[in-house]
Amino acid sequence: MASLRKLVAVTDGALLWSREGITPDSPATRSGVDGELSAARSTLLTRSAALEARTPVPVSASMADLPAAPPRLADDYLAQLARSEELFDLATMPVPISHGARSQLDIFDLPRQARRRRRANRALTRELGDAPLEVLNAGRACFPLIGSAAAPAIEDALARHGIFSPQSWPRPAYLPDSLGWPTDVVSIDCGPTTSTEKVKQIAAIITAAL
């Protein structure tokens, strides 16, 4: 299974595949929770765009010039993200994706999206230069994954500027203390719509957090 909402800017949906095929016992229909979930995700995407638009950075910016995210916008985004996740927990029955998400997918250009994601990944890798870290998936058509012992500090520093990780893997509460858990990887929100200025800002924040 691959979550579409994690990969592209759509409100809901996932790709399912099984070697044995997928045959639901009965056709599922969207419930009120599913409709509320799609609406919450739509609001989240809008607030994410607003947050990025309110934190412009000159190409020549130094760390002293980097603006912090507007507190209200950042708080609104996090509150909407939490609400979306609550609704996902409630809507556990697989149902057809919403009409809006399907319409967006009908015009989705996968090769172009992949090219733009590779370009953004490579751009951030170049900006990080000789920083003491590793881009674990350099040049791939995916958001960059940074390997560094300072990963928690990097994530916190980015959050202070309204830049949040598109993927996280917190330690499960049920995991015994005797078992290790990776804490040295952080995902970076750098994708097809990330401007050159934003890439430079992200690289400067990461480097300063090391």
Side-chain angles (χ1 to χ4, degrees):
M1 183 182 80
S3 172
L4 289 173
R5 69 187 179 94
K6 296 287 188 181
L7 300 173
V8 295
V10 296
T11 55
D12 52 85
L15 300 175
L16 303 176
W17 179 87
S18 169
R19 184 176 287 106
E20 292 75 25
I22 299 174
T23 54
D25 293 335
S26 60
T29 57
R30 292 179 63 82
S31 68
V33 171
D34 295 306
E36 189 178 355
L37 170 57
S38 293
R41 278 288 299 171
S42 179
T43 301
L44 179 65
L45 292 173
T46 300
R47 289 184 179 173
S48 177
L51 189 60
E52 182 164 339
R54 288 290 298 276
T55 55
V57 179
V59 173
S60 60
S62 66
M63 273 305 297
D65 300 323
L66 297 178
R72 185 184 62 78
L73 278 177
D75 289 346
D76 285 351
Y77 173 85
L78 290 176
Q80 191 64 28
L81 177 61
R83 178 57 179 157
S84 296
E85 294 302 320
E86 289 173 3
L87 290 169
F88 271 108
D89 289 340
L90 291 174
T92 55
M93 174 72 71
V95 295
I97 65 175
S98 65
H99 176 74
R102 185 175 295 280
S103 296
Q104 290 173 308
L105 291 174
D106 286 343
I107 60 173
F108 185 67
D109 187 338
L110 179 58
R112 179 172 180 267
Q113 186 83 185
R115 287 194 301 271
R116 295 179 69 189
R117 283 191 175 276
R118 288 192 187 95
R119 190 179 303 129
N121 185 305
R122 290 167 181 159
L124 182 62
T125 301
R126 284 195 303 271
E127 286 298 325
L128 290 172
D130 297 326
L133 50 75
E134 182 181 3
V135 181
L136 302 175
N137 60 345
R140 302 297 295 273
C142 182
F143 49 75
L145 292 174
I146 301 297
S148 169
I154 292 171
E155 195 165 26
D156 289 344
L158 289 169
R160 287 195 294 272
H161 291 84
I163 303 169
F164 303 102
S165 297
Q167 187 180 59
S168 63
W169 35 88
R171 182 186 180 89
Y174 58 80
L175 197 67
D177 293 340
S178 59
L179 296 179
W181 187 258
T183 59
D184 57 353
V185 178
V186 59
S187 60
I188 308 299
D189 188 10
C190 182
T193 62
T194 307
S195 66
T196 300
E197 292 79 5
K198 196 72 172 182
V199 170
K200 290 179 179 293
Q201 178 196 23
I202 291 172
I205 295 170
I206 291 173
T207 301
L210 296 174

